[in-house]
Amino acid sequence: ERPTLARERYLALAVDGKVDASSGADMSTQVLSGHLPLFVHREPRQVLVVGLASGVTVGSVARHPVERIEVVEIEPAMVQAARLFDEVNHRALSDPRVRLILDDGRHLLSVTRKRFDVIISEPSNPWMSGPARLFTREFFALARGRLAPGGVMAQWLPLYGLEPDHLRTLVRTFLAEFPHVLAFRVSTGDLLLL
């Protein structure tokens, strides 16, 4: 928690020293990552969110009349951290439609047979060794294989910390598995591919 002159509390969630979520500037990315793919899909019922962090994206998904929201998170400490954001994530983890799975997102997609109407992937940054596996063609192919017919994949990409060539490579990699893409700049430093 950081001091602020605003009436609302300011919370930041840092992973390995890097802020991955906050109740400040990150809100537009977290909220839109939950809402945009559900607005694009005609009738979303089953949703998978890769990466819990503050829980704001999950809470945004829960504002829709979906049947089930599965959240896969590799770090157990994120569960406690997300509860600190209950004021802004609509108490996402208390929603009876939410099922939390402590596992690696890539592993889960490789072993589950479930199909999802929407998959939202919002892991930490692609230059970090663990999350880098969630920005590969192999991961995108696994996700595509777990989408129900007419399903929507949402992929967060940072516009910061990457050379332009690296960003182009990530976009091309996503396009290799999902050739029809909408791109939204959801904040100054964030891109969402649908």
Side-chain angles (χ1 to χ4, degrees):
E1 186 169 2
R2 293 184 184 163
T4 176
L5 296 176
R7 290 179 182 239
E8 296 85 28
R9 292 171 58 207
Y10 177 83
L11 298 173
L13 173 61
V15 177
D16 293 330
K18 187 226 169 265
V19 173
D20 273 353
S22 75
S23 61
D26 294 311
M27 285 299 289
S28 65
T29 299
Q30 298 167 110
V31 169
L32 290 171
S33 293
H35 287 299
L36 286 175
L38 276 80
F39 290 150
V40 169
H41 194 283
R42 288 180 172 225
E43 203 175 326
R45 292 181 312 278
Q46 305 292 324
V47 179
L48 173 66
V49 178
V50 178
L52 173 63
S54 66
V56 171
T57 297
V58 176
S60 295
V61 170
R63 307 293 278 179
H64 295 263
V66 299
E67 294 172 8
R68 187 114 170 123
I69 307 163
E70 296 200 8
V71 184
V72 60
E73 172 58 55
I74 196 168
E75 176 51 59
M78 286 297 174
V79 178
Q80 182 181 357
R83 293 196 190 281
L84 297 173
F85 286 83
D86 273 355
E87 290 174 29
V88 291
N89 71 21
H90 308 290
R91 294 175 171 42
L93 293 176
S94 298
D95 189 304
R97 298 170 298 163
V98 173
R99 178 176 172 241
L100 179 66
I101 303 161
L102 293 173
D103 196 357
D104 174 72
R106 187 167 166 160
H107 177 258
L108 176 76
L109 287 174
S110 70
V111 297
T112 189
R113 293 294 150 233
K114 292 181 184 174
R115 299 281 180 169
F116 300 95
D117 299 305
V118 174
I119 297 175
I120 301 167
S121 183
E122 200 176 6
S124 194
N125 300 87
W127 57 80
M128 298 177 77
S129 62
R133 299 181 54 212
L134 302 178
F135 293 90
T136 63
R137 183 160 186 186
E138 292 79 11
F139 174 73
F140 297 146
L142 282 170
R144 185 176 44 79
R146 299 281 42 99
L147 284 173
V152 175
M153 173 71 179
Q155 178 64 53
W156 166 80
L157 291 177
L159 294 172
Y160 57 88
L162 294 171
E163 295 294 323
D165 285 344
H166 294 143
L167 179 60
R168 279 191 286 275
T169 298
L170 287 171
V171 171
R172 275 195 309 268
T173 303
F174 189 78
L175 285 167
E177 294 298 325
F178 301 100
H180 306 289
V181 174
L182 296 171
F184 295 90
R185 189 169 185 177
V186 291
S187 76
T188 304
D190 299 304
L191 190 65
L192 187 67
L193 303 179
L194 300 182

